Amino acid sequence: MFKNYFLFLAIFILGHSLAYSQSRIMDTLNEKLNNYGASKSQTSLFIHYDKNVYTNHEFVWFTGYLLNHDEELSDYHTLSIALVRNENRQILLENKFVIKNGISSGCIFLQDSLTAGNYHLVAFTNRIANNLPEDVFLQPITIKNVFSEFSTSLTLLDSTNLFSDTVKVLLKARTPDLLPLEGAHVNYIVGTGTDMGKESKLVLNKSGEAIISIKRSSIPEMNNIIYVQVNSKGIIKDLSLTLPIKKKDPTIRFYPEGGNLINETPCNVGWEVKTGEGNPVSISALLYEGNQIIDTIYTSAYGMGKFKLVPEIGKNYFIKVNSEYINGDFPLPVIQDISPGLSIENAVVADTLIVKLQNVSTSNKLYLIIHRFNQLFQAFEVNKNISSQELKI
């Protein structure tokens, strides 16, 4: 009985020439899973913050935990937390705290000089691997100013014109009395990190405005954001805006249960639709077998859906989509001839998991293994002479 676990089931086939014992199979699988877990290790550091929106001149309270770690907790003694501005990756604050028995807690004071905008709190321990922190936890936060000496805004001009060579952005700044903020100095940059462009400067005109023109070819596809900083007599405001780029093709992916479509074997097929920018899409599509429509399938608001299919080799399966986001025909994965398949009707159970094993036609030994990432629970031989069977775990 395995409760409250995400379990992975897999079919493991051994050729009849390999005379592995049950214990030898467990040892081999344990070794492979441990190696896989070591190469795909995930951070075990978790930081709980009191909230994610703050004002300057306020405390950020936190508690940090080291979870599910194999190393000795005594090796972890220092927790560092840095406040990083999103626009330019500048580190504005950094404090260190003691870790005791895998737990650390404290607070960070946000100074009055911090400008309003989007930030990240970056937490990491004293342990280093390959010249990088071993455990890192990122928390996005927003800082707002209690008192605002002036207001700013960014607006796209001709945002729907994707055929022009330039993108124009209108910057406005107003005093608390809604008068134009003339003469304020502006720095702006497009993108960050390796995609960061050259920093540019300008001054607001008598109307408290400026038009920023950006060559569309210079906008990085993966970081199409302009970051603007307005400085008026030492008072600084930061703001950003997503810039339009040439639309990328949307994507449709299929996920057959068990990993493959198998000949004449019932299968649940998950499918996912996203725009070229990675946003989920809710659509409907027609499922075809050759020239015949066999089903209408849908995705939810999360861009995910599923449908049932009994595929046959030699037949052509595809979906036809016609929506405002995406159009065209999209083929399903290649159908396998003879291969064991797994399916689960109810994946969330209180005690007993029922697994259906289908299309078993092999002269090799067949094992079902149950594991959770890098932890192997059990491996046992199943009857390979029954084409369809239910296993209770």
Side-chain angles (χ1 to χ4, degrees):
M1 175 175 66
F2 306 110
K3 291 185 178 180
N4 302 324
Y5 281 119
F6 288 102
L7 299 182
F8 297 90
L9 305 177
I11 287 295
F12 186 71
I13 303 174
L14 293 178
H16 51 266
S17 60
L18 300 177
Y20 276 12
S21 64
Q22 178 83 10
S23 60
R24 175 57 179 162
I25 292 171
M26 294 289 286
D27 292 341
T28 301
L29 292 176
N30 260 323
E31 181 181 356
K32 290 182 178 295
L33 287 172
N34 286 334
N35 291 338
Y36 175 78
S39 65
K40 302 290 184 180
S41 60
Q42 297 176 331
T43 179
S44 62
L45 177 64
F46 176 79
I47 309 293
H48 175 73
Y49 293 97
D50 55 338
K51 53 185 178 178
N52 56 17
V53 178
Y54 299 89
T55 62
N56 49 3
H57 202 82
E58 187 176 5
F59 285 95
V60 177
W61 294 90
F62 74 91
T63 302
Y65 305 91
L66 286 169
L67 306 174
N68 302 323
H69 222 284
D70 297 331
E71 303 291 338
E72 288 290 333
L73 290 177
S74 59
D75 293 340
Y76 298 87
H77 52 75
T78 304
L79 175 70
S80 298
I81 298 182
L83 178 67
V84 180
R85 191 195 304 275
N86 287 5
E87 285 82 358
N88 55 13
R89 299 298 190 263
Q90 181 182 1
I91 299 175
L92 301 176
L93 294 173
E94 184 176 4
N95 289 331
K96 294 183 178 181
F97 304 87
V98 174
I99 299 176
K100 187 175 182 180
N101 297 325
I103 299 176
S104 180
S105 61
C107 64
I108 299 171
F109 181 68
L110 302 178
Q111 303 169 351
D112 291 339
S113 58
L114 292 173
T115 61
N118 296 317
Y119 296 77
H120 267 81
L121 288 167
V122 182
F124 52 94
T125 69
N126 58 283
R127 296 264 300 191
I128 302 297
N130 298 322
N131 296 320
L132 295 173
E134 184 181 74
D135 299 305
V136 178
F137 186 87
L138 302 177
Q139 174 66 46
I141 67 168
T142 300
I143 296 179
K144 297 181 178 293
N145 286 347
V146 179
F147 303 104
S148 179
E149 288 77 5
F150 61 90
S151 60
T152 56
S153 65
L154 282 177
T155 307
L156 284 173
L157 301 177
D158 298 327
S159 61
T160 59
N161 186 2
L162 297 178
F163 300 99
S164 64
D165 295 331
T166 60
V167 174
K168 294 183 179 180
V169 178
L170 174 62
L171 170 62
K172 290 183 179 181
R174 297 288 184 267
T175 67
D177 298 328
L178 300 181
L179 297 176
L181 191 68
E182 179 185 356
H185 293 272
V186 178
N187 295 341
Y188 69 90
I189 197 167
V190 177
T192 58
T194 57
D195 291 330
M196 185 168 56
K198 182 180 179 181
E199 187 176 59
S200 301
K201 302 177 183 293
L202 55 85
V203 177
L204 297 184
N205 60 22
K206 292 183 179 181
S207 300
E209 299 178 354
I211 295 179
I212 302 173
S213 296
I214 306 160
K215 289 185 178 180
R216 192 180 296 273
S217 59
S218 67
I219 302 175
E221 290 187 1
M222 301 304 293
N223 198 359
N224 55 317
I225 299 176
I226 181 173
Y227 298 97
V228 179
Q229 187 176 81
V230 182
N231 188 334
S232 176
K233 300 178 181 180
I235 305 300
I236 297 175
K237 285 289 187 70
D238 293 300
L239 59 163
S240 61
L241 182 69
T242 300
L243 300 174
I245 57 175
K246 183 179 179 181
K247 290 187 176 181
K248 294 182 287 186
D249 293 333
T251 58
I252 292 183
R253 292 186 174 92
F254 300 98
Y255 306 100
E257 187 176 19
N260 296 294
L261 291 176
I262 302 171
N263 185 40
E264 298 181 355
T265 301
C267 180
N268 291 311
V269 182
W271 69 302
E272 178 184 40
V273 184
K274 289 185 177 181
T275 65
E277 291 72 36
N279 299 316
V281 179
S282 174
I283 64 170
S284 64
L286 299 175
L287 176 61
Y288 278 79
E289 181 183 78
N291 296 323
Q292 182 179 358
I293 299 174
I294 58 175
D295 201 357
T296 301
I297 60 178
Y298 305 88
T299 59
S300 67
Y302 299 101
M304 301 289 292
K306 69 174 183 177
F307 57 92
K308 291 183 179 293
L309 181 67
V310 184
E312 296 181 32
I313 286 183
K315 294 185 178 180
N316 180 30
Y317 296 91
F318 64 94
I319 67 169
K320 184 181 290 292
V321 183
N322 184 10
S323 75
E324 60 178 311
Y325 301 103
I326 182 170
N327 288 280
D329 298 345
F330 299 86
L332 269 63
V334 176
I335 303 170
Q336 305 295 318
D337 186 6
I338 299 177
S339 176
L342 292 173
S343 63
I344 299 174
E345 190 67 28
N346 296 309
V348 180
V349 294
D351 183 84
T352 303
L353 184 70
I354 298 178
V355 181
K356 191 170 185 180
L357 178 62
Q358 303 173 90
N359 197 27
V360 179
S361 178
T362 176
S363 58
N364 300 323
K365 288 187 177 182
L366 197 65
Y367 288 85
L368 184 75
I369 67 171
I370 307 170
H371 68 98
R372 179 168 61 92
F373 190 45
N374 62 343
Q375 182 180 3
L376 178 64
F377 290 109
Q378 202 170 32
F380 53 88
E381 188 175 359
V382 296
N383 192 336
K384 63 178 181 292
N385 298 318
I386 303 176
S387 61
S388 180
Q389 54 188 300
E390 285 190 348
L391 307 174
K392 293 184 178 180
I393 302 173

